Amino acid sequence: MNYPSVEVLVAAVGQDSESPALQQLFSELKIGEENLEKYPMNLAGRRLWWNEAKRLQLELKSIGLLEDIHSHNIDEGPWVLTKLTFWGVHKKNGAYAGPIPYELDFSMVRDSIRNKMLNIGLGQATVLGFSEDVDMWQMEKVEITVEYFDDNDAIRCISIGVLIDRSRA
């Protein structure tokens, strides 16, 4: 199974569906805008693409939700890639097997991921989640989150997404 390179994946985050970077990712995944599904609960202006075999998920928002554009139908795009999620092992499904940014992999445990991110200069993790089961780092224009299963330090998923302003939370 072919997977996009780390460079292609990271370059596409925060880009819209008319940009060369996101078009390159779509091309390598062999998908187009017609393959983007409406978000669960029909949330307006959002799309989702999920490949269970690859264990890769793309979350996209209409540019109209992110920028002030008058007379824009938010269900028509263009679509901005706001989050990439690499999923770990679940039931019979193996983990995402392609390259993951920052040389992370699903065999690592929480302490080794924290040390890895500290050693590449991202500092200490910010801990999020009701159960404090999510570590987050910010870097330039993206945030990296690693979510762990509640009962151990095994990785549930790794996500790369656009920065979120949590100052109002």
Side-chain angles (χ1 to χ4, degrees):
M1 191 172 295
N2 293 332
Y3 294 90
S5 71
V6 167
E7 295 78 17
V8 168
L9 290 164
V10 172
V13 174
Q15 301 298 308
D16 71 57
S17 52
E18 296 174 352
S19 71
L22 190 51
Q23 287 180 5
Q24 175 70 34
L25 179 59
F26 282 0
S27 173
E28 291 192 22
L29 293 172
K30 297 178 176 39
I31 64 171
E33 286 188 45
E34 67 277 2
N35 301 107
L36 304 178
E37 297 178 14
K38 286 198 172 205
Y39 213 76
M41 300 184 314
N42 285 326
L43 289 174
R46 299 166 193 263
R47 294 292 183 268
L48 185 69
W49 178 83
W50 158 246
N51 184 295
E52 189 168 358
K54 287 190 179 200
R55 307 291 292 153
L56 179 64
Q57 177 178 311
L58 310 179
E59 292 182 39
L60 303 99
K61 288 184 180 176
S62 170
I63 199 163
L65 286 178
L66 303 171
E67 297 178 11
D68 188 19
I69 302 174
H70 298 287
S71 303
H72 178 75
N73 182 340
I74 60 172
D75 277 325
E76 292 182 2
W79 304 101
V80 176
L81 179 60
T82 56
K83 188 175 188 181
L84 286 168
T85 302
F86 310 94
W87 287 95
V89 174
H90 181 70
K91 297 181 181 177
K92 298 178 193 174
N93 298 313
Y96 176 81
I100 300 173
Y102 315 106
E103 298 176 3
L104 300 178
D105 69 68
F106 288 96
S107 68
M108 299 170 89
V109 294
R110 195 171 203 168
D111 283 342
S112 62
I113 289 176
R114 286 177 167 179
N115 287 331
K116 175 79 163 173
M117 300 305 261
L118 187 62
N119 290 336
I120 62 172
L122 293 180
Q124 297 290 333
T126 300
V127 179
L128 306 170
F130 294 115
S131 303
E132 296 187 339
D133 56 353
V134 178
D135 286 343
M136 189 264 302
W137 296 265
Q138 293 183 336
M139 179 177 176
E140 297 175 15
K141 298 178 183 177
V142 298
E143 65 180 33
I144 303 101
T145 57
V146 181
E147 184 176 340
Y148 306 91
F149 288 104
D150 286 338
D151 55 348
N152 60 38
D153 282 347
I155 300 170
R156 182 171 182 263
C157 64
I158 299 169
S159 299
I160 311 293
V162 297
L163 289 175
I164 298 172
D165 180 5
R166 290 184 173 80
S167 63
R168 293 179 277 154

